[in-house]
Amino acid sequence: MLVKTYAAALQSIHAEIVTIEVNVNEGTWFQLVGLPDAAIRESHERIKSAIEIAGYEMPCSNVVINMSPADLRKEGAAYDLPLAVGLLAADEQLPYEKLNEIMMMGELGLDGKLKPIKGALPIAMLAQKEGYKSLIIPRENAREAAVVKGLKVYAGDNLKEICNFLATGEEPEIIEIDTDQELHIQQEQIEADFSDVRGQENVKRALEVAAAGGHNVLMIGSPGSGKSMMAKRMPGILPPLSMEESLETTMIYSVSGKLKANTTLMTKRPFRSPHHTVSPVALVGGGTHPKPGEISLAHNGVLFLDELAEYNRAVLEVMRQPLEDRKITIARAKYTVDYPASFMMVAAMNPCPCGYYNHPTRECTCPQYKIQRYLSKISGPLLDRIDIQVEIVPVPFEEISDTEPAESSKKIRQRVVNARKIQQERFKNAKHVHCNAQMTPAQIRKFVRPDEEGLERLKQAMDRFGISARAYDRILRVARTIADLEDSIDVTSKHIAEAISYRNLDRKTWGQKAF
């Protein structure tokens, strides 16, 4: 008897339908085809044990299973459940009438228990899109899948429970989630607050501008000046995630296997901080079987690169393309996958190997050539892609000992949100542009029109500091954001001057000691 069950295969952060065709007739052999990987080919023993524990018999007849489409590679043990149900239905131990309305996924233990899988959310979205009435999925993944409206999500515990449902109609637990309430409750909490940061008002201002326009930022300062502390507080001043952003971010974490059990949505902007020994593949994604890298895990959030000059130069250079395109393309001989990578890069570094160049009280012991060599680890093209470069000096004792609370992240976030609303209105008819940092050259010419005094300031800065054409555009983008924070329609000389002040490493004299 021929029976079909339905599952899904993950491709990038999306899923595609997999039809499992099971044919049981006379004979004594078992064949599984359709480009399965080793984990699927080994499923026979897991399925056999689970079926027997559930009180059924493993078919001893001639079994042929085809996983369609045959040219789509299927990976992992998540196909155990639809394979087991298909075998029992084809052997007439279970009714098959309901199977064309149900998608199911789940790894089986030898005792028949369902184990969690990767990619529950994109699988649920596919099931809803393709018109399936319900999805059977392991309990640990059910809350994640239940955020998809219009789909009945069953939380399965074991194979016996699923077989009983198909045989008698006794439904497993149905999971329902109020996604709007989940998103609202979690977003109100700010774990790391800028009120903890004493002094550094100029740096806080630069980070506020960066958050308001989605700009990349580099902080340069001596050890202990607060670079990491402030970077970790960046997610708290970024606008709350929209439902669309939350779903997309959750999908990335889901297919990566990094979403915690019984989680619904990613409700806070991600903050990723890879160590400086990270490999290019771990950073941008890829591998034999491609997976999202750190830049995709930071999508819609912050990627913090501490000790930037300590990263391997080859690792940093592979970021140049995703910083521009806001996605990463992983190409292999037989297929290509795209992962989103629209992140805000926050980097920090010392000004020299010893860390005390330009320190007000401690002397730098580095020779001139070592300082230049240290700074040259960051290439010009990469620096051009960092809109804001700000120098940090140690906080004076008077500011450290001040007992007055600093401005909270909540207040800063409100100004950032107001500026982002202005940008949303500005770019409402533009595709793939949501903030000032993403403006195209044509949009810069349209929306950023400095006054004559501002243009003169910009010309002087280009002549004096040797600013590149790309950095010129970056300055105009930052100036537009500064104007938005002040709710100013026009970009004035004052806005241009502040934007230029955030280009510290463009100065020809940076890193040169005065002897």
Side-chain angles (χ1 to χ4, degrees):
M1 182 178 181
L2 176 64
V3 167
K4 296 180 181 180
T5 59
Y6 300 93
L10 296 174
Q11 299 290 301
S12 180
I13 64 169
H14 304 286
E16 294 186 22
I17 289 287
V18 172
T19 303
I20 298 176
E21 303 170 319
V22 184
N23 190 17
V24 176
N25 51 38
E26 294 183 3
T28 58
W29 55 291
F30 184 99
Q31 188 172 9
L32 179 61
V33 297
L35 212 58
D37 71 349
I40 301 174
R41 290 194 295 270
E42 292 171 353
S43 65
H44 179 271
E45 297 305 318
R46 293 193 300 274
I47 292 171
K48 182 175 183 294
S49 176
I51 285 176
E52 291 172 353
I53 292 290
Y56 294 86
E57 295 182 1
M58 183 72 176
C60 297
S61 307
N62 181 36
V63 177
V64 178
I65 302 175
N66 177 44
M67 305 181 75
S68 174
D71 60 346
L72 178 65
R73 184 171 180 81
K74 296 88 182 174
E75 300 175 354
Y79 298 95
D80 289 355
L81 178 60
L83 286 169
V85 170
L87 278 168
L88 293 175
D91 199 40
E92 300 184 5
Q93 297 183 57
L94 284 178
Y96 60 86
E97 289 81 10
K98 295 180 182 178
L99 295 181
N100 63 341
E101 301 176 351
I102 303 172
M103 183 179 287
M104 58 184 77
M105 294 289 284
E107 177 184 349
L108 291 172
L110 294 180
D111 57 357
K113 289 186 177 179
L114 286 175
K115 299 182 178 181
I117 63 171
K118 297 178 182 178
L121 177 57
I123 290 169
M125 294 176 75
L126 175 69
Q128 190 270 343
K129 178 183 176 182
E130 296 294 329
Y132 291 90
K133 292 184 178 179
S134 56
L135 171 68
I136 301 175
I137 206 154
R139 180 171 295 277
E140 290 85 347
N141 302 114
R143 285 178 59 81
E144 174 190 343
V147 304
V148 178
K149 297 179 180 179
L151 180 70
K152 190 179 290 186
V153 176
Y154 295 112
D157 290 311
N158 53 63
L159 179 61
K160 184 175 182 179
E161 179 186 43
I162 304 307
C163 292
N164 186 53
F165 163 53
L166 294 172
T168 67
E170 183 179 341
E171 294 184 333
E173 182 182 356
I174 301 173
I175 305 299
E176 296 180 347
I177 298 294
D178 185 343
T179 53
D180 294 331
Q181 184 179 8
E182 289 270 331
L183 199 60
H184 176 72
I185 291 174
Q186 295 295 327
Q187 286 180 346
E188 291 299 314
Q189 304 170 3
I190 297 178
E191 296 173 358
D193 201 293
F194 265 102
S195 61
D196 302 326
V197 181
R198 296 284 181 253
Q200 304 293 14
E201 298 304 323
N202 65 318
V203 185
K204 290 180 186 177
R205 168 64 177 178
L207 295 178
E208 179 182 336
V209 172
H215 304 287
N216 301 320
V217 59
L218 170 62
M219 295 179 284
I220 313 153
S222 57
S225 56
K227 303 186 295 293
S228 299
M229 183 180 187
M230 286 185 281
K232 291 174 182 176
R233 281 153 177 74
M234 282 299 295
I237 65 172
L238 289 170
L241 284 171
S242 66
M243 181 58 71
E244 182 183 356
E245 289 175 326
S246 180
L247 285 170
E248 192 173 32
T249 305
T250 305
M251 287 168 67
I252 295 171
Y253 276 73
S254 179
V255 300
S256 302
K258 296 186 180 297
L259 203 63
K260 295 180 181 178
N262 299 311
T263 299
T264 51
L265 288 171
M266 293 282 293
T267 58
K268 296 180 181 178
R269 294 192 179 273
F271 179 88
R272 302 295 298 182
S273 180
H275 192 261
H276 64 259
T277 57
V278 67
S279 69
V281 170
L283 186 66
V284 302
T288 306
H289 305 301
K291 292 182 179 179
E294 289 291 335
I295 63 172
S296 294
L297 294 171
H299 181 65
N300 291 324
V302 174
L303 178 70
F304 177 45
L305 302 181
D306 200 7
E307 304 297 345
L308 185 66
E310 301 299 330
Y311 283 78
N312 186 297
R313 182 156 181 162
V315 172
L316 296 178
E317 292 306 299
V318 298
M319 291 183 58
R320 286 161 52 178
Q321 179 257 332
L323 279 171
E324 287 290 324
D325 299 342
R326 299 187 178 271
K327 68 176 182 178
I328 182 69
T329 301
I330 308 296
R332 293 293 179 265
K334 294 184 178 180
Y335 56 90
T336 299
V337 294
D338 291 328
Y339 292 117
S342 181
F343 59 92
M344 180 179 162
M345 187 179 82
V346 178
M349 62 180 286
N350 294 331
C352 65
C354 80
Y356 296 106
Y357 173 74
N358 267 1
H359 195 281
T361 59
R362 298 190 62 169
E363 184 179 354
C364 174
T365 60
C366 302
Q368 182 68 49
Y369 76 92
K370 281 193 175 182
I371 297 176
Q372 295 297 331
R373 187 168 62 187
Y374 185 78
L375 295 175
S376 68
K377 291 182 179 180
I378 315 301
S379 70
L382 181 60
L383 278 177
D384 277 350
R385 288 168 169 82
I386 301 176
D387 301 357
I388 297 175
Q389 304 158 10
V390 60
E391 184 179 3
I392 302 179
V393 296
V395 182
F397 173 79
E398 292 76 12
E399 294 184 6
I400 294 177
S401 59
D402 188 3
T403 57
E404 286 293 321
E407 189 176 30
S408 69
S409 291
K410 189 174 182 180
K411 289 184 178 179
I412 301 173
R413 175 193 266 187
Q414 188 55 57
R415 293 196 295 269
V416 169
V417 168
N418 291 339
R420 287 287 185 109
K421 287 179 179 177
I422 294 171
Q423 294 165 49
Q424 288 174 2
E425 180 64 25
R426 178 181 298 136
F427 304 123
K428 62 182 179 181
N429 296 321
K431 289 185 178 180
H432 311 301
V433 177
H434 308 288
C435 58
N436 289 335
Q438 300 172 358
M439 278 195 290
T440 64
Q443 289 168 332
I444 292 173
R445 291 191 296 272
K446 180 179 180 180
F447 298 119
V448 190
R449 296 176 179 174
D451 55 22
E452 291 186 10
E453 186 180 350
L455 286 173
E456 182 60 28
R457 277 183 182 271
L458 198 48
K459 180 180 181 301
Q460 291 174 3
M462 291 190 70
D463 294 339
R464 184 178 177 186
F465 302 140
I467 294 174
S468 69
R470 181 182 280 117
Y472 170 86
D473 283 351
R474 301 281 174 186
I475 290 172
L476 292 179
R477 289 188 179 106
V478 173
R480 178 67 268 174
T481 299
I482 296 169
D484 289 341
L485 281 167
E486 296 182 0
D487 198 14
S488 172
I489 297 175
D490 300 320
V491 176
T492 67
S493 173
K494 179 180 68 172
H495 304 140
I496 293 291
E498 184 178 350
I500 292 172
S501 73
Y502 296 141
R503 300 295 303 183
N504 282 23
L505 288 186
D506 286 334
R507 299 173 187 173
K508 295 177 181 178
T509 56
W510 178 265
Q512 296 180 12
K513 287 187 175 181
F515 293 99

